[in-house]
Amino acid sequence: MAAYVQDVIMLVGDSLTQGGFVPHGFAQQLAHVYNRKLDVFNRGLSGYNTTWGLPVFEQVFAKQHEQQHVPKVRLLTIWYGANDACIPPSPQHVPLPEFSANLRTMIRSVTSPSSPHYSAITKIILITPPPVNTHQRGADLASRDPPRPLDREFETTHQYAEAVKIVGAQEGVPVIDLWTILYDACGRVEEKLSEYLYDGLHVNQKGYQVVFDEIIKTVSKHYPELHYDKLQNVFIGHADINFENLRESLQKRIAMPSPIPASK
Amino acid sequence: MAAYVQDVIMLVGDSLTQGGFVPHGFAQQLAHVYNRKLDVFNRGLSGYNTTWGLPVFEQVFAKQHEQQHVPKVRLLTIWYGANDACIPPSPQHVPLPEFSANLRTMIRSVTSPSSPHYSAITKIILITPPPVNTHQRGADLASRDPPRPLDREFETTHQYAEAVKIVGAQEGVPVIDLWTILYDACGRVEEKLSEYLYDGLHVNQKGYQVVFDEIIKTVSKHYPELHYDKLQNVFIGHADINFENLRESLQKRIAMPSPIPASK
């Protein structure tokens, strides 16, 4: 059995999150820079929307009474919308008000003291879905056997991205507006999004680099105490081992060097 | 708090393991192919030898009585020797008999029914240290400020690799003989090891690819039930969700589809 040694960064979302462990993906990069400090749990689920993600969220985020041997979630990214924005009658479609409500439910299940999942020390970052390159996506779907019609619209996904921003502002949660960042980076020319999307829907290596960089920027600005440079290794560096007192020197430590408020 | 949702692959060792989350590293590749099935816990500690690794091992591998909310370690890699083989009086040096004994202690703490860490379902793989390219390593150390003398010898590390193989044979644990695989791949010409080592000591991307491929080969041969293709996603694929019974359909499952013996 694996003991509780390190706290974690939990990544929640759809295929954009699930793919994060590819080389240069945002999960890989987080796991690398937070090595020996925080583990990275990728809980991304390809094809999922927030309605399906909600019962999953309640299972991956432990209840307070289970906490004794369970790692604390220090950082939580919530990155949904790409599937919620599917065009009806796709079963993936979630109406915009329900999408916002689902995101709010996830956030409040962590932030609300009356929630069984309440965790005061968990810092949340919301990420908006990337813009859809309907030219690229349409060509991809048309090339399948049998060919499939376009399943997402450019402006619809934009509305879901805007909804994430509104929920973030209302709930006091920082938002990485990936939609706007990528669209601006392409000079607001939809076709040029192929620079950041490999199939019109999913980010490529360059897109994941933006996501990782923005997460670190957001951590630096809003949760500076969680920057990897501010954390210490759970097990001491080998050059600092005290050979006179080996066992004590090799005791695991908490990655946060300063006192932190305990989760209620 | 992060709930216990997935079991884990635990990677134990020194800097060769610690570096495993680089792009194309063996930890990154395992995390990617086992996504939604098993989490990867990288417990590699740069500079550590088995003597220092032993008290750490006892902390990262949970005791039986702690198991309720703790993920089970399904696969455990133990990859030591690169530092144990340092030339005395380096503090990293561990005499060969002690090195073998330490490895044996780690293995038996998992496999021995009388051990507090006993875990019948944990499958172990030993990995030998890679051969040292003393030309490359010597040049690297000589270029430092102040210059440092060569700290490892080619034949000494070979002896530590052989010791790992003996322990594996004695304990019935499969061994990836990375030392021999890499040396053979270079036509048994030490200088040519730079193809797999970036500094004469640590594997590069091509070296990590060998490690990953050998782990999957070893799993396929010795623990086929743990191959990622044999495991199911903990949360159901989105196309298989039963909309008539959403909550039940979205209940987490065990990644192993067939009954498994419970850990005592």
Side-chain angles (χ1 to χ4, degrees):
Chain A
M1 289 79 69
Y4 162 30
V5 171
Q6 295 184 178
D7 287 332
V8 309
I9 298 172
M10 187 181 286
L11 313 176
V12 163
D14 51 36
S15 55
L16 289 154
T17 295
Q18 183 182 317
F21 267 127
V22 294
H24 306 282
F26 79 122
Q28 176 266 309
Q29 295 202 54
L30 287 169
H32 184 58
V33 299
Y34 280 97
N35 216 3
R36 297 179 64 170
K37 296 170 179 175
L38 298 174
D39 290 318
V40 173
F41 285 3
N42 187 341
R43 298 291 179 254
L45 300 167
S46 171
Y48 275 54
N49 56 34
T50 51
T51 299
W52 306 335
L54 209 46
V56 169
F57 189 86
E58 291 166 10
Q59 295 172 70
V60 300
F61 208 93
K63 296 198 179 75
Q64 294 184 59
H65 68 82
E66 298 168 333
Q67 72 180 276
Q68 193 183 358
H69 297 293
V70 168
K72 293 176 177 57
V73 179
R74 296 286 176 176
L75 186 66
L76 170 69
T77 63
I78 302 177
W79 187 8
Y80 272 111
N83 299 320
D84 301 71
C86 281
I87 305 170
S90 163
Q92 292 172 291
H93 170 73
V94 173
L96 198 53
E98 191 178 326
F99 171 66
S100 299
N102 287 340
L103 284 182
R104 196 172 289 117
T105 301
M106 288 185 197
I107 293 167
R108 290 191 183 172
S109 80
V110 176
T111 61
S112 167
S114 63
S115 159
H117 298 273
Y118 175 59
S119 170
I121 60 159
T122 299
K123 308 302 181 186
I124 307 176
I125 297 176
L126 283 167
I127 307 174
T128 67
V132 178
N133 182 343
T134 57
H135 307 277
Q136 210 180 356
R137 176 72 178 166
D140 178 20
L141 292 172
S143 73
R144 298 196 190 177
D145 184 19
R148 290 167 51 189
L150 189 64
D151 55 358
R152 287 164 179 84
E153 284 163 351
F154 183 84
E155 194 41 51
T156 305
T157 297
H158 186 200
Q159 289 168 19
Y160 282 72
E162 289 299 308
V164 174
K165 288 160 68 178
I166 292 168
V167 170
Q170 289 170 339
E171 300 297 319
V173 171
V175 177
I176 295 172
D177 183 8
L178 187 67
W179 196 96
T180 302
I181 292 167
L182 295 187
Y183 196 42
D184 284 351
C186 295
R188 305 186 79 78
V189 178
E190 186 184 333
E191 287 88 334
K192 290 193 181 166
L193 284 165
S194 55
E195 200 180 326
Y196 294 95
L197 306 171
Y198 69 80
D199 61 357
L201 182 61
H202 297 96
V203 291
N204 60 17
Q205 182 175 323
K206 199 168 168 182
Y208 272 132
Q209 189 63 50
V210 172
V211 175
F212 172 73
D213 291 344
E214 291 293 328
I215 288 174
I216 299 303
K217 264 195 247 177
T218 306
V219 166
S220 302
K221 182 173 174 187
H222 294 277
Y223 312 127
E225 73 284 4
L226 287 183
H227 191 284
Y228 52 87
D229 281 341
K230 300 280 176 61
L231 307 186
Q232 65 181 356
N233 289 335
V234 166
F235 293 103
I236 200 165
H238 75 96
D240 297 323
I241 294 173
N242 177 1
F243 303 122
E244 304 300 314
N245 199 341
L246 198 61
R247 292 233 151 220
E248 191 178 306
S249 181
L250 291 169
Q251 276 298 308
K252 70 174 177 180
R253 310 174 297 182
I254 193 160
M256 284 70 201
S258 52
I260 43 135
S263 162
K264 267 203 242 174
Chain B
M1 290 79 69
Y4 163 28
V5 171
Q6 294 185 176
D7 286 332
V8 309
I9 299 172
M10 187 180 286
L11 314 176
V12 162
D14 50 36
S15 54
L16 289 154
T17 296
Q18 183 182 316
F21 267 127
V22 293
H24 306 282
F26 79 121
Q28 175 266 309
Q29 295 202 53
L30 287 169
H32 183 59
V33 298
Y34 280 96
N35 216 3
R36 297 180 64 169
K37 295 170 179 174
L38 298 173
D39 290 319
V40 173
F41 284 4
N42 187 341
R43 297 292 177 255
L45 299 166
S46 172
Y48 275 54
N49 57 32
T50 52
T51 299
W52 306 335
L54 211 45
V56 169
F57 189 85
E58 291 166 10
Q59 294 171 71
V60 300
F61 208 93
K63 295 199 178 75
Q64 294 183 61
H65 67 82
E66 298 167 334
Q67 72 180 276
Q68 194 183 358
H69 298 293
V70 168
K72 293 174 177 58
V73 179
R74 296 286 177 176
L75 186 66
L76 170 69
T77 63
I78 301 178
W79 187 8
Y80 272 111
N83 299 321
D84 300 72
C86 280
I87 305 170
S90 163
Q92 292 172 291
H93 169 74
V94 173
L96 198 53
E98 192 179 327
F99 171 67
S100 299
N102 287 341
L103 284 182
R104 197 173 288 117
T105 301
M106 287 185 198
I107 294 166
R108 290 191 184 173
S109 81
V110 176
T111 61
S112 168
S114 63
S115 159
H117 298 273
Y118 175 58
S119 170
I121 59 159
T122 300
K123 308 302 181 186
I124 306 177
I125 297 175
L126 283 167
I127 308 174
T128 68
V132 178
N133 182 344
T134 56
H135 307 277
Q136 209 180 355
R137 176 71 178 166
D140 178 20
L141 292 172
S143 73
R144 298 196 190 178
D145 185 19
R148 290 168 49 188
L150 190 63
D151 55 357
R152 287 164 178 84
E153 284 163 350
F154 183 83
E155 194 42 50
T156 304
T157 297
H158 186 200
Q159 289 168 18
Y160 282 72
E162 289 299 308
V164 174
K165 289 160 68 178
I166 293 169
V167 171
Q170 289 170 339
E171 301 297 318
V173 171
V175 178
I176 296 171
D177 184 8
L178 187 67
W179 196 97
T180 302
I181 292 167
L182 293 187
Y183 196 43
D184 285 351
C186 297
R188 304 186 79 80
V189 178
E190 186 185 332
E191 287 88 335
K192 290 193 180 165
L193 284 165
S194 55
E195 200 179 326
Y196 295 95
L197 307 170
Y198 69 79
D199 61 357
L201 182 62
H202 297 97
V203 291
N204 59 17
Q205 181 174 323
K206 199 168 167 182
Y208 272 132
Q209 189 63 50
V210 172
V211 175
F212 172 74
D213 290 345
E214 291 293 328
I215 289 174
I216 299 303
K217 265 194 244 176
T218 306
V219 166
S220 301
K221 183 174 174 186
H222 294 276
Y223 312 126
E225 73 282 5
L226 288 183
H227 191 283
Y228 52 87
D229 280 342
K230 299 282 177 58
L231 307 185
Q232 65 181 356
N233 288 335
V234 166
F235 292 102
I236 200 165
H238 75 95
D240 298 323
I241 295 173
N242 178 1
F243 304 121
E244 304 300 314
N245 199 343
L246 197 62
R247 292 233 151 219
E248 190 178 306
S249 181
L250 292 169
Q251 275 298 308
K252 71 173 177 181
R253 310 173 298 181
I254 193 160
M256 285 69 200
S258 52
I260 43 137
S263 164
K264 266 203 242 176

